[in-house]
Amino acid sequence: MFDDEHEIKDITSVLGEAFDGLNVQDVQRTVDAFAVWRKIMLSIRSSTNPNEGANLAAHSRIIDLKNGVLLVEADHPGWIELLQLRKNYILRGLSMYAKNMGVQTLAFRLAGKRGNVTGKPFSAEEARGLAESRVRREEEVLARAAGGRASPGGASVSEGQAAPPAPELEAALSALRRDMGA
């Protein structure tokens, strides 16, 4: 059934070709970056949630580093909000433990969404508007999870808009609101 163009290759030669262009130093730097990220996340503590860092580590991961921007992915918008609140702490940790990475800032994306770190940056007003709309959406989700059908602003919430947050995320958001005096 095979002609001269199609030949069966030994698995060792296929694997050898696949890993032939792999640079061991690049692989080691990648492994080191993931280890540093986890170390920094696990060091995060709050007075109301001593497991905040472990939760953040479990729900986030680094995706890309380009031009000094570290792209971080999280599996729920609430985790992105918590990461943004800890951004300065994370950047200090990266400057202490991974100077060679050259991270200058962080960018965040929701898991499953496409995005990279080469796009046009947001203005301060655009970023503030996006953050405020995320907070409104999270408040709507929390209101629905608590049994209410209306958002804090009084508008009704449509079905299937977002999954309810995990209990530990809801607790972390509540603790942040208390800490911020909201």
Side-chain angles (χ1 to χ4, degrees), residues 34-144:
F34 283 105
V36 166
W37 177 258
R38 182 157 175 77
K39 179 178 183 174
I40 293 168
M41 292 295 99
L42 293 176
S43 71
I44 295 174
R45 304 260 190 275
S46 77
S47 60
T48 55
N49 183 4
N51 295 323
E52 182 177 347
N55 291 335
L56 286 169
H59 294 279
S60 67
R61 65 186 182 123
I62 56 175
I63 299 295
D64 192 9
L65 173 62
K66 191 168 194 171
N67 299 327
V69 180
L70 183 66
L71 180 62
V72 178
E73 182 178 81
D75 57 18
H76 190 278
W79 295 118
I80 292 174
E81 293 295 327
L82 290 173
L83 287 165
Q84 287 173 330
L85 288 170
R86 300 295 188 171
K87 183 177 179 177
N88 290 335
Y89 180 88
I90 295 168
L91 287 171
R92 279 194 310 273
L94 288 168
S95 70
M96 285 174 44
Y97 299 117
K99 288 181 186 178
N100 61 338
M101 285 176 61
V103 176
Q104 297 170 355
T105 191
L106 302 174
F108 303 98
R109 79 173 187 197
L110 188 58
K113 304 286 183 182
R114 291 183 171 227
N116 59 39
V117 293
T118 59
K120 176 185 150 237
F122 292 115
S123 70
E125 290 175 3
E126 290 171 321
R128 186 176 300 111
L130 287 170
E132 288 172 353
S133 68
R134 284 186 195 150
V135 168
R136 279 192 300 276
R137 286 192 309 265
E138 287 304 310
E139 287 175 342
E140 290 170 354
V141 168
L142 288 172
R144 271 200 321 262

Side-chain angles (χ1 to χ4, degrees), residues 48-49 55 82 142 165-178:
T48 55
N49 183 4
N55 291 335
L82 290 173
L142 288 172
E168 68 265 12
L169 176 57
E170 190 171 339
L173 289 171
S174 295
L176 279 172
R177 283 191 193 95
R178 279 194 309 272

